[in-house]
Amino acid sequence: MGVLLKRLGIEATFLTCGRHVLAHYGFGTTPPSEQPFDVMLIDLMMPHMDGFATCEKVRWLETNARISPCYKIAVSSLDQSHVESLGDGLFKSFLQKPVRFDVLRDSLLEVANAMSDVSADTKSQLSMNRSTECE
C-alpha cells in the first residue's frame, strides 16, 4: 500500500493496529496528535483490535471529543456486501484486497472531490495519475 500511495504523491502515516490509531487520537493515556487524519484506509483484519472496532471507537471520539471526522475506507479480502452488512455504515468506501493502483487512485480522487478542504493541487495530482499504468 505504501508504494501505491507514494506513486500517487500522497503522504501517509502507517499504524499497525487499532490501538495505535486510538493512541494517535489521544484515547487512553497518550496525548492526541497535532495532526488529525483526513482519510483512513482501515484494514479490517488488524491485530489486537480489528478495523470494525477501531472505526467504531474513532467515530465515538469524533462525536464526543470533537475531533474532526475523517473519511474511512475499509480494506479487506472479504467481499464488499459482507463488509457492508457487518460495518453498519462505518465506512464511506471499500477497497478489495489485493488493492489495485487504479482502484485506489480513483477511490482517493472521489474522496478528494467530496472534501471541500482538499487543495486543487492534490486533486490535480490524483487526476494526473489517471494516465499512470498499473504494474
Side-chain angles (χ1 to χ4, degrees), residues 21-35:
V21 173
L22 296 179
H24 179 86
Y25 280 102
F27 192 79
T29 59
T30 310
S33 170
E34 302 270 328
Q35 196 70 19

Side-chain angles (χ1 to χ4, degrees), residues 2-135:
V3 171
L4 298 178
L5 291 169
K6 186 174 182 175
R7 284 180 58 195
L8 289 168
I10 294 175
E11 186 178 318
T13 299
F14 293 91
L15 303 172
T16 57
C17 73
R19 291 179 191 165
H20 296 156
V21 173
L22 296 179
H24 179 86
Y25 280 102
F27 192 79
T29 59
T30 310
S33 170
E34 302 270 328
Q35 196 70 19
F37 297 125
D38 295 317
V39 177
M40 279 190 199
L41 299 171
I42 302 174
D43 190 328
L44 299 182
M45 304 299 175
M46 293 185 292
H48 309 292
M49 181 185 303
D50 69 26
F52 294 106
T54 301
C55 193
E56 285 174 351
K57 290 187 186 229
V58 168
R59 186 162 63 176
W60 184 91
L61 287 169
E62 289 169 346
T63 303
N64 296 297
R66 292 183 171 73
I67 293 171
S68 298
C70 71
Y71 197 98
K72 296 163 197 72
I73 301 173
V75 181
S76 180
S77 56
L78 299 171
D79 107 350
Q80 184 172 358
S81 61
H82 187 68
V83 170
E84 287 171 352
S85 69
L86 293 172
D88 192 28
L90 287 173
F91 306 101
K92 297 277 189 182
S93 190
F94 173 81
L95 294 173
Q96 180 77 42
K97 285 183 182 181
V99 177
R100 292 186 3 227
F101 177 80
D102 58 327
V103 175
L104 174 64
R105 178 204 57 225
D106 291 349
S107 183
L108 291 174
L109 182 57
E110 182 181 316
V111 169
N113 287 328
M115 297 172 72
S116 60
D117 60 344
V118 173
S119 72
D121 288 343
T122 298
K123 291 177 186 179
S124 175
Q125 176 69 26
L126 287 168
S127 293
M128 285 190 302
N129 276 301
R130 283 186 175 276
S131 62
T132 306
E133 292 295 318
C134 295
E135 293 180 349

